[in-house]
Amino acid sequence: MPVASSTTVGDVVSLSQELVEEERIRGQVRLYNVDNADRVESDSEKFLRRTLTTDGIQKSLRILRDSLTGEDIRGTHLLRGPFGTGKSHQMLVLYHCFNNPEVARKRFSDEITDFDTALPDEATTIPVALQYSQPEELWDPFFDALDFDPGSFEAGGWPDMEEIMTAVGDQTVALFVDELERWFETLDDDKTEATKGFLQSILEAASEYDNLHFVTSVLQKESEVYGVLNREKSASINMRSEVNSRELIQHRLFDSASKDKEAARDIVDSYFEAYEASEHVNVSGDKRQKMYEAYPVHPDLLETLEEDYYAQGENQAARGMLFLLSKTVLAKHDQTDFITHADLEPRTEVEREIGTELSHLDDDVHGVCVEDIGRVEEAEIPYGQHILSTILLHSLRPGDTEMIGADQSDIIFGSYQLGDNISDIVRDLNRVSNGNTWYVHTKGEKHVIRESRTVSALINDERAGVTRDEALGNIRDAIGRIFEGGHPVVQDDDLTEVTDNKQTKAIIKADEWTAEEVETVITNGGDGREYRNTLVFVQPTKSVLDSTTVEKAKDLEAALSVKRDDTIDTELQNDASER
């Protein structure tokens, strides 16, 4: 049975304050929540403390510093990338630099040289979240916040740079516009031109004056509004390439300063030495170092989740991983010494939020995995759930690619915990993949969960309908193939089916002949036989009608039925033929 380690993740490293307080990681933040006192977006200190200073944030902060001091004319920050790449989060970081510069100085001064002296002591921040509220004109919230009337533009035109800077005056102003692209695409022709004109005006003004700053976000570089803003006077930052999901996970889930590095190293060394000592595991040269860096989450689990989320064709991998791992860490940090695949419990009745999130990746595959976990528990396979959880995570990828599936080493990395015997895991893997599950398919060295049943499951299903007579028919056919031209005798009816002619006939009994059975053949069931001297009676040294042989004959009949079923996948029909 699996054995728990006496040391736990919680003994080695503390959970982050965010995870302890909120019991989850909110992967999504919104600009419109800056005015909501119940949300972290409104709390500068808490928000910036939870922020990992990514390469993208460092780049934006350095540009902000230089634009505030006049060394960089790029007063516009253009954050570009698909959903889930951190655009709103980075916009909020810049927002809090203006909204609460004192907190921002404390948070970033050690990382960004001269940042503290560059920030203004106070500023007017204007958040415009277009997914929350759409103004009549884009400039309306800007001038409303500055209590300035630019006049009417009903007859055409838009506020120019002079009007913008008159409204700004001597104060420092920062305008933040989130989801600009989607709102822009809904405008009619006249408003499109007016909005483009205003954007160009504010872009020019932000490059000419160091007390006006403009931050906005777009989804793609091919959009019309991106073409308007992407000038030499704006800083375009590709958010897709700026987030390291593993660094983000470490920062948001754990208090890295609390980590007992010596204890973590001891645990990693124990795992690695167990892998290395086993003949069942292939260990790469840099595995130990990767485990040091990733602890307390196993690096193979991180790699698997990255592949799962990115394979979905979306760009919210970091967000999905954060949520899933936050719930896993909360559930398991005081039960295990290393978070592995086995800790992601797929059954919603055991871990509701973990199971639900896994089902979002592939509901069908997740569902059949849960069914098979029930089967391995009924079969009393100790490591069955660990193994199936690991295979599931390696199967949540659309398409039939080489990436799908887990080999033996993958399964050991995902299932093993200190105190376990790796040979026991391998034993249970053989049981899982050889008839005790319905949906674990094995191809070469890989095991994968598919929504279609395995050939073993199909054969077992068909076998329930196979009669004893059909099984005996297969034994009769097998004897006939072995003794070509002979007459197999498996059932009583076969005794009276022996032809009466001059040719010598071998009559092969499936078990020992009795005197009565011999007489039945010789007398042709009482009807008389003309050529009695043509009969040769053969019997085996041991009966082939024992229960084991009959059961195998039923298996054969079930396999033949699967092979004949045209509704079944050709690959499975071929597998049935090999049986």
Side-chain angles (χ1 to χ4, degrees):
M1 291 290 294
V3 180
S5 170
S6 59
T7 303
T8 68
V9 167
D11 297 327
V12 180
V13 61
S14 299
L15 305 186
S16 69
Q17 184 177 346
E18 176 184 7
L19 187 55
V20 172
E21 290 176 352
E22 300 194 12
E23 297 186 347
R24 70 175 62 212
I25 297 297
R26 294 184 183 274
Q28 196 168 33
V29 293
R30 300 292 192 186
L31 181 64
Y32 56 73
N33 282 327
V34 295
D35 294 323
N36 185 344
D38 294 329
R39 293 299 300 268
V40 68
E41 294 95 322
S42 67
D43 188 326
S44 299
E45 185 171 0
K46 184 179 289 187
F47 184 85
L48 294 181
R49 183 178 68 243
R50 294 178 180 181
T51 295
L52 172 67
T53 312
T54 63
D55 291 343
I57 288 175
Q58 288 192 22
K59 186 185 299 182
S60 282
L61 294 179
R62 284 193 293 268
I63 294 170
L64 174 60
R65 174 199 61 193
D66 294 344
S67 64
L68 285 165
T69 60
E71 295 180 28
D72 193 326
I73 65 169
R74 295 177 297 172
T76 295
H77 293 250
L78 182 55
L79 309 178
R80 171 173 59 86
F83 292 114
T85 50
K87 299 185 301 297
S88 294
H89 194 107
Q90 188 150 324
M91 182 178 292
L92 281 161
V93 170
L94 295 171
Y95 170 85
H96 286 296
C97 287
F98 289 99
N99 187 59
N100 198 332
E102 183 178 353
V103 169
R105 287 189 182 99
K106 291 179 182 178
R107 173 64 181 83
F108 297 118
S109 290
D110 290 341
E111 298 174 84
I112 309 297
T113 305
D114 297 330
F115 189 70
D116 54 342
T117 57
L119 285 181
D121 292 330
E122 59 181 27
T124 299
T125 52
I126 308 172
V128 181
L130 292 171
Q131 72 271 46
Y132 182 72
S133 177
Q134 295 82 42
E136 184 69 22
E137 303 289 356
L138 185 59
W139 55 80
D140 287 346
F142 178 79
F143 289 111
D144 289 347
L146 298 176
D147 195 22
F148 182 87
D149 183 5
S152 173
F153 297 93
E154 290 184 3
W158 53 83
D160 59 22
M161 186 172 70
E162 182 178 350
E163 289 170 308
I164 290 171
M165 292 314 301
T166 300
V168 171
D170 294 332
Q171 63 187 315
T172 298
V173 174
L175 172 64
F176 300 86
V177 181
D178 200 12
E179 301 286 353
L180 172 61
E181 180 180 48
R182 290 201 291 175
W183 174 82
F184 182 86
E185 291 174 349
T186 67
L187 302 179
D188 60 31
D189 291 344
D190 290 340
K191 284 199 172 183
T192 295
E193 291 305 311
T195 302
K196 286 166 65 175
F198 174 67
L199 289 172
Q200 290 169 341
S201 295
I202 205 162
L203 179 66
E204 289 291 333
S207 68
E208 291 288 334
Y209 299 90
D210 58 18
N211 63 327
L212 175 62
H213 300 268
F214 176 41
V215 182
T216 190
S217 62
V218 296
L219 291 172
Q220 53 189 347
K221 63 187 296 184
E222 295 81 8
S223 66
E224 184 177 4
V225 73
Y226 180 79
V228 173
L229 295 172
N230 186 32
R231 301 284 193 269
E232 291 181 359
K233 297 176 182 179
S234 65
S236 177
I237 298 175
N238 181 2
M239 299 299 298
R240 186 194 291 269
S241 60
E242 302 298 343
V243 179
N244 184 315
S245 59
R246 299 193 183 194
E247 290 180 3
L248 187 63
I249 286 165
Q250 287 287 338
H251 179 81
R252 297 289 295 277
L253 298 185
F254 306 103
D255 177 8
S256 58
S258 72
K259 182 185 284 188
D260 183 338
K261 294 182 179 179
E262 184 176 349
R265 184 170 288 271
D266 288 344
I267 290 171
V268 168
D269 286 343
S270 297
Y271 271 84
F272 184 82
E273 287 161 10
Y275 299 155
E276 202 171 37
S278 173
E279 62 181 358
H280 303 294
V281 189
N282 293 321
V283 187
S284 62
D286 59 350
K287 173 71 73 179
R288 192 196 300 255
Q289 184 59 37
K290 287 181 178 179
M291 292 169 68
Y292 287 149
E293 294 170 358
Y295 187 85
V297 181
H298 201 289
D300 283 64
L301 173 58
L302 293 174
E303 182 178 344
T304 303
L305 291 177
E306 285 170 345
E307 291 173 353
D308 286 342
Y309 277 97
Y310 282 117
Q312 302 302 311
E314 299 178 2
N315 297 282
Q316 305 194 45
R319 185 178 296 169
M321 289 173 64
L322 266 176
F323 175 79
L324 184 59
L325 287 174
S326 70
K327 304 309 296 185
T328 304
V329 169
L330 272 175
K332 300 292 185 177
H333 74 282
D334 58 352
Q335 300 176 28
T336 184
D337 52 21
F338 215 157
I339 303 295
T340 67
H341 298 68
D343 293 309
L344 275 69
E345 167 61 68
R347 292 170 292 183
T348 53
E349 66 270 22
V350 180
E351 293 290 347
R352 182 177 62 83
E353 291 179 295
I354 295 173
T356 300
E357 177 64 16
L358 291 175
S359 73
H360 291 161
L361 292 171
D362 192 320
D363 189 47
D364 292 331
V365 171
H366 168 266
V368 298
C369 175
V370 171
E371 286 184 33
D372 270 347
I373 289 176
R375 294 184 180 95
V376 299
E377 286 193 339
E378 186 176 346
E380 298 183 349
I381 302 176
Y383 291 94
Q385 181 266 313
H386 288 191
I387 291 168
L388 286 172
S389 292
T390 303
I391 298 174
L392 171 65
L393 291 172
H394 282 273
S395 303
L396 297 173
R397 299 159 201 170
D400 188 14
T401 70
E402 292 183 1
M403 290 174 59
I404 290 181
D407 63 22
Q408 182 171 280
S409 293
D410 295 327
I411 291 167
I412 292 169
F413 293 144
S415 303
Y416 173 79
Q417 293 178 329
L418 289 185
D420 293 344
N421 186 325
I422 290 178
S423 295
D424 290 343
I425 298 174
V426 174
R427 174 207 64 205
D428 284 0
L429 172 59
N430 290 331
R431 294 182 65 191
V432 164
S433 59
N434 286 297
N436 284 290
T437 55
W438 282 15
Y439 299 100
V440 177
H441 297 255
T442 302
K443 291 298 174 186
E445 297 181 353
K446 294 253 182 130
H447 307 271
V448 62
I449 295 174
R450 295 176 177 166
E451 59 187 282
S452 60
R453 287 185 293 172
T454 64
V455 68
S456 294
L458 292 171
I459 290 172
N460 284 339
D461 200 28
E462 289 289 336
R463 190 180 182 283
V466 176
T467 65
R468 178 177 172 83
D469 284 348
E470 289 173 319
L472 295 179
N474 283 324
I475 294 174
R476 180 186 298 108
D477 292 341
I479 294 173
R481 287 192 296 272
I482 295 171
F483 297 93
E484 187 174 353
H487 181 84
V489 174
V490 177
Q491 295 171 285
D492 289 344
D493 289 348
D494 298 330
L495 298 173
T496 58
E497 297 295 327
V498 182
T499 56
D500 186 15
N501 55 38
K502 294 180 179 181
Q503 294 179 342
T504 301
K505 292 169 283 297
I507 308 167
I508 304 97
K509 189 74 161 51
D511 55 1
E512 186 176 354
W513 285 101
T514 66
E516 292 80 5
E517 290 170 336
V518 172
E519 182 178 354
T520 298
V521 175
I522 292 174
T523 63
N524 199 18
D527 292 338
R529 181 178 295 279
E530 183 178 357
Y531 300 99
R532 295 186 177 189
N533 293 332
T534 61
L535 303 175
V536 177
F537 293 88
V538 180
Q539 70 179 29
T541 57
K542 181 180 178 183
S543 172
V544 295
L545 295 182
D546 59 284
S547 58
T548 300
T549 306
V550 172
E551 293 305 307
K552 287 183 178 179
K554 286 185 176 182
D555 289 340
L556 174 60
E557 181 61 31
L560 291 172
S561 179
V562 171
K563 180 184 176 183
R564 291 189 295 264
D565 189 343
D566 293 335
T567 66
I568 293 174
D569 182 81
T570 303
E571 184 179 359
L572 291 177
Q573 287 181 320
N574 293 336
D575 285 348
S577 297
E578 294 174 4
R579 300 296 178 101

